[in-house]
Amino acid sequence: MSTRAATPNRREQILREAARLFAERGFHGVGVDEIGAAVGISGPGLYRHFAGKDAMLAELLVGISERLLTGGRRRVEEAAGDPRALLASLVEGHIDFALDDRALITLHDRELDRLRDEDRKLVRQLQRQYVELWVAVVRELHPDVGEAEVRVAVHAVFGLLNSTPHLGALSREATESLLRRLAHGSFGALSG
């Protein structure tokens, strides 16, 4: 299950191009005219869709956090109490995100502090809830491991999976396979 919609509408096209441009040149290095040109409209035409660049950045970073959490919750429901299936599904979903939304990972790393306090707090709140989904399932699979250690392991796996903006030598299929093995191996090491 990808974190992206199948056919992007104009608003989604604008966000996708804004994310790409912000990731390449930084939030302050990109003007609305460049974003507009990337989607075939004038810079001022963007204001029909967004109040400005700040609103685009907020929607990008809050939006991906919401999609990850919503997808994680859906995976919990679909797993129907099977923790191994749930962890595998969470890993697959995060790998899809990490490979499909590399620009958003870069954007989050570089530009989160540019958000208004309210939006930044919302992103962090959504992220904490997403982490807790993972912590719960990993603790179920490794009941003898303390919560603090499991939480560190979850964050370490996120770091591993979110390293995709720095990868590029392998095909998508090979990268997916490697990331899957590394993530599950990392969690397996908790019982070692």
Side-chain angles (χ1 to χ4, degrees):
M1 173 178 66
S2 177
T3 56
R4 289 221 174 271
T7 306
N9 61 33
R10 175 63 82 183
R11 187 175 177 85
E12 291 165 340
Q13 291 171 342
I14 293 167
L15 287 172
R16 184 183 59 232
E17 289 305 313
R20 181 184 64 78
L21 291 166
F22 292 160
E24 286 175 3
R25 297 200 309 260
F27 179 74
H28 289 301
V30 178
V32 293
D33 290 335
E34 294 167 278
I35 298 168
V39 296
I41 61 176
S42 69
L46 291 177
Y47 294 112
R48 286 193 298 268
H49 301 279
F50 297 95
K53 283 187 353 178
D54 291 335
M56 287 180 223
L57 181 63
E59 189 161 330
L60 286 164
L61 295 180
V62 171
I64 193 58
S65 296
E66 288 172 339
R67 289 196 314 265
L68 284 169
L69 179 58
T70 299
R73 286 177 174 160
R74 186 172 41 250
R75 291 171 193 289
V76 168
E77 291 173 15
E78 291 169 355
D82 180 348
R84 290 196 193 292
L86 175 54
L87 183 60
S89 182
L90 287 170
V91 168
E92 291 303 315
H94 203 93
I95 288 171
D96 282 344
F97 154 69
L99 293 174
D100 293 341
D101 292 300
R102 293 177 192 212
L104 288 177
I105 293 170
T106 299
L107 192 59
H108 178 276
D109 289 347
R110 291 184 190 161
E111 309 291 352
L112 182 64
D113 64 334
R114 304 242 184 267
L115 290 180
R116 294 178 313 157
D117 285 344
E118 177 182 312
D119 291 327
R120 188 172 46 254
K121 286 177 184 176
L122 179 56
V123 167
R124 292 295 191 202
Q125 176 187 26
L126 294 165
Q127 289 173 336
R128 280 191 298 275
Q129 292 174 44
Y130 182 62
V131 166
E132 291 310 311
L133 293 175
W134 286 68
V135 168
V137 71
V138 174
R139 288 203 74 207
E140 193 172 345
L141 291 168
H142 301 280
D144 296 334
V145 179
E147 184 175 340
E149 189 174 351
V150 167
R151 187 166 276 104
V152 169
V154 167
H155 282 285
V157 168
F158 286 170
L160 168 75
L161 298 177
N162 292 344
S163 68
T164 57
H166 311 290
L167 306 178
L170 301 175
S171 69
R172 181 183 174 105
E173 182 178 294
T175 301
E176 286 174 358
S177 177
L178 178 59
L179 290 173
R180 184 180 307 113
R181 291 191 318 270
L182 290 171
H184 288 291
S186 296
F187 289 130
L190 286 169
S191 294

